[in-house]
């Protein structure tokens, strides 16, 4: 028997205030990630703009994604 998956709720994830929005576009690529906060100091919520799935990732992983323009030059 399959286990029921709980409903993912946007409220309380910090995604509605979006700590950061990361957009990557290019040839055959167009992805936008929305990053929020969590109650756990070591984790953040992440959601792709075109999906209802909400993920928890480590802040160290988030820090690898968040770049300034000077970091990309």
């Amino acid at each position: 028997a399959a286990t029921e998956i709980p409903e993912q709720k946007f409220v309380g994830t910090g995604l509605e205030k979006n700590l950061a929005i990361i957009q990557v576009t290019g040839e055959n690529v167009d992805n936008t990630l929305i990053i929020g906060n969590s109650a756990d100091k070591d984790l953040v919520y992440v959601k792709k703009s075109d999906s209802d799935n909400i993920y928890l990732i480590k802040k160290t992983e988030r820090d690898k994604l968040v770049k300034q323009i000077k970091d990309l030059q």
Side-chain angles (χ1 to χ4, degrees):
T3 303
E4 184 177 332
I5 299 172
E7 178 185 356
Q8 295 197 344
K9 298 182 189 219
F10 198 76
V11 176
T13 61
L15 293 167
E16 66 278 359
K17 297 177 186 175
N18 59 60
L19 178 65
I21 296 176
I22 300 169
Q23 183 175 19
V24 178
T25 59
E27 190 174 327
N28 300 321
V29 176
D30 188 0
N31 289 318
T32 302
L33 297 177
I34 303 167
I35 300 175
N37 284 321
S38 76
D40 186 320
K41 294 180 182 180
D42 295 323
L43 300 172
V44 294
Y45 288 100
V46 178
K47 177 188 172 307
K48 280 182 69 174
S49 63
D50 63 353
S51 171
D52 289 334
N53 295 333
I54 298 171
Y55 302 93
L56 268 174
I57 65 169
K58 292 181 180 181
K59 282 189 178 178
T60 55
E61 294 301 315
R62 182 232 24 217
D63 292 345
K64 292 177 186 176
L65 297 171
V66 178
K67 302 290 180 195
Q68 299 292 323
I69 290 177
K70 64 182 171 86
D71 298 328
L72 302 174
Q73 295 177 338

